[in-house]
Coordinates of all heavy atoms in Angstrom, one line a residue:
Q274 N 118.9 93.9 124.3 CA 118.0 92.9 123.7 C 118.0 92.9 122.2 O 118.1 94.0 121.6 CB 116.6 93.1 124.2 CG 116.4 93.0 125.7 CD 116.5 91.6 126.3 OE1 116.4 90.6 125.5 NE2 116.7 91.4 127.5
P275 N 118.0 91.8 121.5 CA 117.9 91.7 120.1 C 116.5 92.1 119.6 O 115.6 91.3 119.8 CB 118.3 90.3 119.7 CG 118.0 89.5 121.0 CD 118.1 90.4 122.2
I276 N 116.3 93.2 119.0 CA 115.0 93.8 118.6 C 115.0 93.9 117.1 O 115.8 94.6 116.5 CB 114.8 95.1 119.3 CG1 114.9 95.0 120.8 CG2 113.5 95.8 118.8 CD1 115.0 96.4 121.5
Y277 N 113.9 93.3 116.5 CA 113.8 93.3 115.0 C 112.4 93.8 114.7 O 111.4 93.4 115.4 CB 114.0 91.9 114.5 CG 115.4 91.3 114.7 CD1 115.7 90.6 115.8 CD2 116.4 91.6 113.8 CE1 116.9 90.1 116.0 CE2 117.7 91.0 114.0 CZ 117.9 90.3 115.2 OH 119.2 89.8 115.4
I278 N 112.3 94.6 113.7 CA 111.0 95.1 113.3 C 110.9 95.1 111.7 O 111.9 95.4 111.0 CB 110.8 96.6 113.8 CG1 110.5 96.5 115.3 CG2 109.7 97.3 113.1 CD1 110.3 97.9 116.0
G279 N 109.7 94.8 111.2 CA 109.5 94.8 109.8 C 108.9 96.1 109.3 O 108.0 96.7 110.0
T280 N 109.4 96.6 108.2 CA 108.9 97.9 107.6 C 107.8 97.7 106.6 O 107.6 96.6 106.1 CB 110.0 98.7 107.0 OG1 110.4 98.1 105.8 CG2 111.2 98.8 107.9
E281 N 107.0 98.7 106.4 CA 106.0 98.7 105.3 C 106.5 99.1 103.9 O 106.0 98.7 102.9 CB 104.8 99.6 105.7 CG 104.2 99.4 107.1 CD 102.9 98.6 107.1 OE1 102.7 97.8 106.2 OE2 102.1 98.8 108.0
W282 N 107.5 100.0 104.0 CA 108.1 100.6 102.8 C 109.6 100.6 103.0 O 110.2 100.1 103.9 CB 107.6 102.0 102.5 CG 106.1 102.0 102.3 CD1 105.4 101.7 101.2 CD2 105.1 102.3 103.3 NE1 104.0 101.8 101.4 CE2 103.8 102.1 102.7 CE3 105.1 102.7 104.6 CZ2 102.6 102.3 103.4 CZ3 103.9 102.9 105.3 CH2 102.7 102.7 104.7
E283 N 110.3 101.3 102.0 CA 111.7 101.6 102.2 C 111.9 102.2 103.6 O 111.2 103.1 104.0 CB 112.2 102.5 101.1 CG 113.7 103.0 101.2 CD 114.7 101.9 100.9 OE1 114.3 100.8 100.4 OE2 115.9 102.2 101.1
P284 N 112.8 101.8 104.4 CA 113.0 102.3 105.8 C 113.0 103.9 105.7 O 113.9 104.4 105.1 CB 114.3 101.7 106.3 CG 114.4 100.4 105.5 CD 113.8 100.7 104.2
Y285 N 112.1 104.5 106.5 CA 112.0 105.9 106.4 C 113.2 106.6 107.1 O 113.6 107.8 106.8 CB 110.7 106.4 107.1 CG 110.7 106.4 108.6 CD1 111.0 107.6 109.3 CD2 110.4 105.3 109.3 CE1 111.0 107.6 110.7 CE2 110.3 105.3 110.7 CZ 110.7 106.5 111.4 OH 110.7 106.5 112.7
T286 N 113.9 105.9 108.0 CA 115.1 106.4 108.6 C 116.3 106.5 107.7 O 117.3 107.1 108.0 CB 115.4 105.7 109.9 OG1 115.5 104.3 109.6 CG2 114.4 105.9 111.0
E287 N 116.2 105.8 106.5 CA 117.3 105.9 105.6 C 117.2 107.1 104.7 O 116.7 107.0 103.6 CB 117.3 104.6 104.7 CG 117.5 103.3 105.5 CD 118.9 103.3 106.2 OE1 119.9 103.2 105.5 OE2 118.9 103.3 107.4
Q288 N 117.6 108.2 105.3 CA 117.4 109.5 104.6 C 118.2 109.7 103.3 O 117.9 110.5 102.5 CB 117.7 110.7 105.6 CG 116.8 110.7 106.8 CD 115.3 111.1 106.4 OE1 115.1 112.1 105.8 NE2 114.4 110.2 106.8
N289 N 119.3 108.9 103.2 CA 120.1 109.0 102.0 C 119.8 108.0 100.9 O 120.4 107.9 99.9 CB 121.6 108.8 102.4 CG 122.1 110.0 103.2 OD1 121.7 111.2 103.0 ND2 123.0 109.7 104.2
S290 N 118.7 107.2 101.2 CA 118.3 106.2 100.2 C 117.7 106.9 99.0 O 116.9 107.8 99.0 CB 117.2 105.3 100.8 OG 116.5 104.6 99.9
E291 N 118.2 106.4 97.8 CA 117.6 106.9 96.5 C 116.1 106.6 96.4 O 115.4 107.4 95.8 CB 118.4 106.3 95.4 CG 118.1 106.8 94.0 CD 118.5 108.3 93.8 OE1 119.5 108.7 94.5 OE2 117.9 109.0 93.0
A292 N 115.7 105.5 97.0 CA 114.3 105.1 96.9 C 113.4 106.2 97.6 O 112.2 106.3 97.3 CB 114.1 103.7 97.5
N293 N 114.0 106.8 98.7 CA 113.2 107.8 99.5 C 113.3 109.2 99.0 O 112.7 110.1 99.5 CB 113.7 107.8 100.9 CG 113.1 106.6 101.7 OD1 112.0 106.1 101.4 ND2 113.8 106.1 102.7
K294 N 114.1 109.5 97.9 CA 114.5 110.8 97.5 C 113.3 111.7 97.2 O 113.1 112.8 97.7 CB 115.4 110.7 96.3 CG 115.9 112.1 95.8 CD 117.0 111.9 94.7 CE 117.5 113.2 94.2 NZ 118.5 113.1 93.1
D295 N 112.4 111.2 96.4 CA 111.2 112.0 96.0 C 110.2 112.2 97.1 O 109.7 113.3 97.3 CB 110.4 111.4 94.8 CG 109.4 112.3 94.3 OD1 109.7 113.4 93.7 OD2 108.2 111.9 94.4
W296 N 110.0 111.2 97.9 CA 109.2 111.3 99.1 C 109.7 112.4 100.1 O 109.0 113.2 100.6 CB 109.0 109.9 99.8 CG 108.6 110.0 101.2 CD1 107.3 110.4 101.7 CD2 109.3 109.8 102.4 NE1 107.3 110.4 103.0 CE2 108.5 110.0 103.5 CE3 110.7 109.3 102.6 CZ2 109.0 109.8 104.8 CZ3 111.1 109.2 103.9 CH2 110.3 109.4 105.0
I297 N 111.0 112.3 100.3 CA 111.7 113.3 101.2 C 111.5 114.7 100.7 O 111.1 115.6 101.4 CB 113.1 112.9 101.4 CG1 113.3 111.6 102.3 CG2 113.9 114.1 102.1 CD1 114.7 111.1 102.4
A298 N 111.8 114.9 99.4 CA 111.6 116.2 98.8 C 110.2 116.7 98.9 O 110.0 117.9 99.2 CB 112.1 116.1 97.4
T299 N 109.2 115.8 98.7 CA 107.8 116.2 98.8 C 107.4 116.6 100.2 O 106.8 117.6 100.4 CB 106.9 115.0 98.3 OG1 107.3 114.7 97.0 CG2 105.5 115.5 98.3
M300 N 107.9 115.8 101.2 CA 107.5 116.2 102.6 C 108.3 117.4 103.0 O 107.6 118.3 103.7 CB 108.0 115.0 103.5 CG 107.2 113.7 103.3 SD 105.4 113.8 103.4 CE 104.9 113.9 101.7
D301 N 109.5 117.6 102.6 CA 110.3 118.8 103.0 C 109.6 120.1 102.4 O 109.5 121.1 103.1 CB 111.7 118.7 102.6 CG 112.5 117.8 103.4 OD1 112.1 117.4 104.5 OD2 113.7 117.4 103.0
K302 N 109.2 119.9 101.2 CA 108.5 121.1 100.5 C 107.2 121.5 101.2 O 106.9 122.7 101.4 CB 108.3 120.8 99.1 CG 107.7 122.0 98.3 CD 107.6 121.7 96.8 CE 107.1 122.9 96.1 NZ 106.9 122.6 94.6
A303 N 106.5 120.5 101.7 CA 105.3 120.7 102.4 C 105.4 121.0 103.9 O 104.5 121.3 104.6 CB 104.3 119.6 102.2
G304 N 106.6 120.8 104.4 CA 106.9 121.1 105.8 C 106.3 120.0 106.7 O 105.9 120.3 107.9
L305 N 106.2 118.8 106.2 CA 105.6 117.7 107.0 C 106.6 116.7 107.5 O 107.8 116.6 107.0 CB 104.6 116.9 106.0 CG 103.4 117.6 105.5 CD1 102.6 116.7 104.5 CD2 102.5 118.1 106.7
A306 N 106.2 116.0 108.6 CA 107.1 115.1 109.2 C 107.4 113.9 108.3 O 106.5 113.4 107.6 CB 106.5 114.6 110.5
K307 N 108.6 113.4 108.3 CA 109.0 112.3 107.5 C 108.8 111.0 108.3 O 109.7 110.6 109.1 CB 110.4 112.4 106.9 CG 110.6 113.6 106.0 CD 111.9 113.7 105.4 CE 113.0 114.3 106.3 NZ 112.7 115.7 106.6
T308 N 107.7 110.4 108.2 CA 107.4 109.2 109.0 C 106.9 108.1 108.1 O 106.7 108.3 106.9 CB 106.2 109.5 110.0 OG1 105.0 109.7 109.2 CG2 106.5 110.7 110.9
A309 N 106.9 106.9 108.6 CA 106.4 105.7 107.8 C 105.0 106.0 107.3 O 104.6 105.6 106.2 CB 106.5 104.5 108.6
F310 N 104.1 106.5 108.2 CA 102.7 106.8 107.7 C 102.7 107.7 106.6 O 101.8 107.6 105.7 CB 101.9 107.3 108.9 CG 101.5 106.3 109.9 CD1 101.0 106.7 111.1 CD2 101.7 104.9 109.7 CE1 100.6 105.7 112.1 CE2 101.3 104.0 110.6 CZ 100.8 104.4 111.8
S311 N 103.6 108.7 106.6 CA 103.5 109.7 105.5 C 104.0 109.0 104.2 O 103.6 109.5 103.1 CB 104.4 110.9 105.8 OG 105.8 110.6 105.7
Q312 N 104.8 108.0 104.3 CA 105.2 107.2 103.0 C 103.9 106.6 102.5 O 103.8 106.6 101.2 CB 106.2 106.1 103.4 CG 107.6 106.6 103.7 CD 108.5 105.5 104.0 OE1 108.3 104.7 104.9 NE2 109.6 105.4 103.3
G313 N 103.0 106.0 103.3 CA 101.8 105.4 102.8 C 100.9 106.5 102.1 O 100.3 106.2 101.0
G314 N 100.8 107.7 102.7 CA 100.0 108.7 102.1 C 100.5 109.2 100.8 O 99.8 109.4 99.8
Y315 N 101.8 109.3 100.7 CA 102.5 109.7 99.5 C 102.3 108.7 98.4 O 101.9 109.0 97.3 CB 104.0 109.8 99.8 CG 105.0 109.8 98.7 CD1 105.3 111.0 98.0 CD2 105.5 108.6 98.2 CE1 106.2 111.0 96.9 CE2 106.4 108.6 97.1 CZ 106.7 109.8 96.5 OH 107.6 109.7 95.4
M316 N 102.5 107.4 98.7 CA 102.3 106.4 97.7 C 100.9 106.3 97.2 O 100.6 106.1 96.0 CB 102.8 105.0 98.2 CG 102.7 103.9 97.2 SD 103.6 102.4 97.7 CE 102.9 101.2 96.6
A317 N 99.9 106.4 98.1 CA 98.5 106.3 97.7 C 98.2 107.4 96.7 O 97.4 107.2 95.8 CB 97.6 106.4 98.9
A318 N 98.7 108.6 97.0 CA 98.5 109.8 96.1 C 99.1 109.5 94.7 O 98.5 109.8 93.6 CB 99.1 111.0 96.6
K319 N 100.3 108.9 94.7 CA 101.0 108.6 93.4 C 100.1 107.5 92.6 O 100.0 107.6 91.4 CB 102.4 108.0 93.7 CG 103.4 109.0 94.2 CD 103.7 110.1 93.2 CE 104.8 111.0 93.7 NZ 105.2 112.0 92.7
V320 N 99.6 106.5 93.3 CA 98.8 105.6 92.6 C 97.5 106.2 92.0 O 97.2 105.9 90.8 CB 98.3 104.5 93.7 CG1 97.1 103.6 93.1 CG2 99.4 103.6 94.1
M321 N 96.9 107.1 92.8 CA 95.7 107.8 92.2 C 96.1 108.7 91.0 O 95.4 108.7 90.0 CB 95.1 108.6 93.3 CG 93.6 109.1 93.0 SD 92.5 107.7 92.5 CE 92.6 106.7 94.0
I322 N 97.2 109.4 91.1 CA 97.6 110.2 90.0 C 97.9 109.4 88.8 O 97.5 109.8 87.6 CB 98.8 111.1 90.4 CG1 98.4 112.2 91.4 CG2 99.5 111.8 89.2 CD1 99.6 112.8 92.1
D323 N 98.6 108.3 88.9 CA 98.9 107.5 87.8 C 97.7 106.9 87.2 O 97.6 106.7 85.9 CB 99.9 106.4 88.2 CG 101.3 107.0 88.5 OD1 101.6 108.1 88.1 OD2 102.2 106.2 89.0
T324 N 96.7 106.5 88.1 CA 95.5 105.9 87.5 C 94.7 106.9 86.7 O 94.2 106.6 85.6 CB 94.7 105.4 88.8 OG1 95.4 104.4 89.5 CG2 93.3 104.8 88.2
I325 N 94.6 108.1 87.2 CA 93.8 109.2 86.5 C 94.5 109.5 85.3 O 93.8 109.8 84.3 CB 93.6 110.4 87.5 CG1 92.6 110.0 88.6 CG2 93.0 111.5 86.7 CD1 92.5 111.0 89.7

Side-chain angles (χ1 to χ4, degrees):
Q274 297 287 342
I276 301 165
Y277 299 90
I278 286 181
T280 70
E281 307 256 30
W282 300 279
E283 176 74 7
Y285 79 93
T286 50
E287 298 297 293
Q288 298 292 303
N289 294 322
S290 166
E291 187 67 24
N293 281 333
K294 185 176 180 180
D295 186 66
W296 162 69
I297 290 172
T299 303
M300 295 304 100
D301 284 346
K302 185 175 181 179
L305 295 177
K307 293 185 284 292
T308 66
F310 283 169
S311 74
Q312 287 179 304
Y315 162 89
M316 183 170 161
K319 291 292 187 180
V320 166
M321 194 55 59
I322 290 169
D323 288 347
T324 299
I325 292 172

